[in-house]
Amino acid sequence: MADRTKYFIGNWKMFGLSGSYKILERINSFIQRDKKNNKKYKVIIAPPFTLLDSFSKRFKGKKIKIAAQNCYEKDNFGAHTGSISPFMIKKTGVNFIILGHSENRALGEDDKVIKLKVSLAIKNKLNVIFCIGENKKEKKNKQTLPVLKRQILSVLKKGYKFNNIIIAYEPVWSIGSGRVPSPVELKKIVIFLKKFVNKKIKSKIQPKLLYGGSVDKKIIYNLKSVRELDGFLIGGASKSSKNFIDIIKNFYK
Ligand code: 13P
């Protein structure tokens, strides 16, 4: 039977100080109390690099898991000022990593570099949350599917197994804008992507597919009607334990 576990993943981007562990503590205690649903979902939070080591130690063995937000594409150690390797991330005890985020693509990260990052992250036994998504202009020009296909084919290698890669569809025009695709539109894209990935990457395991972009406690009511989705990648609303918990609560209402 297909695994129906849902993922609620928080991407903190450039947010968080050492005391921000309290946000995770509140989310973690909610999960513990949520006996009715807590076997149906997993929660992962991606703080900045500065907090990975302390958060991963503090939440070791707890319900909540920690993810990194990016990494360098080569080597374990090297003369790469300001860079952090997947090897170093794994050594902090972290097991997940977000890669290919559009905010990093906008800074010049291309498919070729993302491919190297994904490959090295998997080699270091990190689970990858791989972000794809079209921008406003591409959407307007009806290029959504060709863009998504290109992003997938130029990064994911044939034979990758989807027990360690989650795909997050994050339309760039939706991030931080309060605008989301309609459920009908989203459903079409999700079904298309799952079939496409299965056929092209030839994995026996169904890929997990998340949606990201302006997810909050209200919009979740619309998004939850897309049953094919395996969860959500949440930016702004993941910085508050209340907002994040409300998203989970409203999803299961
Ligand atoms: P928002 O939820 O703030 O739109 O951000 C989404 C995102 O970029 C998550 O990776």
Side-chain angles (χ1 to χ4, degrees), residues 72-140:
Y72 192 64
E73 64 269 24
K74 294 189 281 221
D75 310 330
N76 293 345
F77 298 123
H80 310 297
T81 304
S83 301
I84 295 175
S85 64
F87 173 78
M88 292 156 81
I89 292 168
K90 182 73 185 181
K91 288 288 176 192
T92 68
V94 163
N95 289 311
F96 294 87
I97 184 163
I98 296 173
L99 290 173
H101 195 282
S102 59
E103 285 154 12
N104 295 319
R105 291 181 191 255
L107 294 175
E109 198 176 81
D110 61 13
D111 291 332
K112 232 167 102 187
V113 169
I114 299 167
K115 182 178 187 176
L116 294 172
K117 292 185 179 191
V118 170
S119 167
L120 194 56
I122 290 175
K123 215 165 140 192
N124 281 281
K125 302 207 161 34
L126 289 165
N127 297 289
V128 173
I129 301 146
F130 170 50
C131 303
I132 56 172
E134 84 285 7
N135 65 28
K136 203 169 157 186
K137 191 166 160 216
E138 290 159 343
K139 179 177 165 59
K140 198 169 155 251

Side-chain angles (χ1 to χ4, degrees), residues 11 13 101 170 175-176 213-215 233 235-236:
N11 177 9
K13 309 187 178 183
H101 195 282
E170 291 208 310
I175 296 174
S214 294
V215 177
L233 184 51

